[in-house]
């Protein structure tokens, strides 16, 4: 992973769109089935919308039926951090960008092989970089 990025909340608010700030810094959740990336089938890399750190490869994306882009594993464990999330009376594992601490979504133990994991990620928290041909 590249060097950590630390900015004030005012700097993040200035750089990100209102929706990106709500998700990435405010730990919000976009409405299900609203992400342009949900049906994306192109080959490439999904990167953090805030700092552009590579997070997921398109080959690990799968249709989960949940309404959010889902992946069965990150590019590597260094780029994605996890934290315990006890909000809303639930215990979940939050997924964060390891470089800028941006909230991405959550990981659940109900995904497909080979990992059995489902990284349920807010599309607003991601940018897609199409693979060059």
């Amino acid at each position: 992973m590249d060097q950590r990025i630390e900015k004030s909340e005012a700097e993040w608010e200035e750089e990100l769109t209102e929706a990106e700030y709500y998700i990435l810094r405010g730990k919000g959740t976009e409405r299900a089935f609203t992400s342009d990336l949900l049906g994306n089938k192109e080959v490439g890399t999904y990167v953090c919308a805030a700092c552009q750190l590579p997070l997921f490869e398109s080959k690990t994306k799968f249709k989960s039926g949940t309404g959010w882009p889902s992946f069965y594993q990150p590019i590597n464990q260094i780029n994605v951090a996890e934290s315990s999330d006890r909000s809303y009376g639930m215990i979940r594992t939050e997924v964060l960008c390891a470089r800028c601490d941006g909230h991405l979504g959550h990981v659940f133990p109900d995904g497909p092989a080979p990992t059995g994991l489902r990284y349920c990620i807010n599309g607003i928290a991601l940018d897609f970089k199409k693979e060059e041909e």
Side-chain angles (χ1 to χ4, degrees):
M1 176 192 62
D2 297 336
Q3 194 169 10
R4 285 193 47 79
I5 294 174
E6 295 187 29
K7 297 180 182 183
S8 70
E9 288 308 307
E11 289 173 306
W12 283 122
E13 197 166 10
E14 187 175 303
E15 289 181 24
L16 301 172
T17 67
E18 187 176 332
E20 288 170 340
Y21 185 82
Y22 169 72
I23 302 292
L24 289 158
R25 308 312 305 171
K27 300 184 185 292
T29 301
E30 68 193 8
R31 286 191 349 260
F33 300 101
T34 60
S35 173
D36 292 342
L37 296 177
L38 186 59
N40 182 28
K41 292 179 175 38
E42 294 188 273
V43 176
T45 304
Y46 294 85
V47 302
C48 176
C51 73
Q52 303 299 296
L53 183 68
L55 301 170
F56 301 96
E57 293 176 311
S58 59
K59 68 183 178 186
T60 66
K61 187 172 183 270
F62 68 97
K63 187 175 182 177
S64 67
T66 61
W68 291 275
S70 296
F71 306 86
Y72 61 79
Q73 73 184 23
I75 281 182
N76 62 53
Q77 295 297 34
I78 296 170
N79 291 13
V80 176
E82 295 181 1
S83 177
S84 180
D85 177 357
R86 296 177 178 271
S87 62
Y88 304 108
M90 298 180 275
I91 299 174
R92 301 178 292 173
T93 302
E94 179 185 12
V95 179
L96 303 154
C97 173
R99 181 161 58 185
C100 71
D101 287 332
H103 170 77
L104 303 172
H106 294 86
V107 61
F108 302 95
D110 60 2
T115 65
L117 298 174
R118 173 174 53 94
Y119 287 83
C120 188
I121 307 298
N122 290 288
I124 289 171
L126 301 172
D127 286 337
F128 181 72
K129 304 293 183 185
K130 186 176 177 178
E131 185 175 286
E132 299 294 325
E133 295 181 16

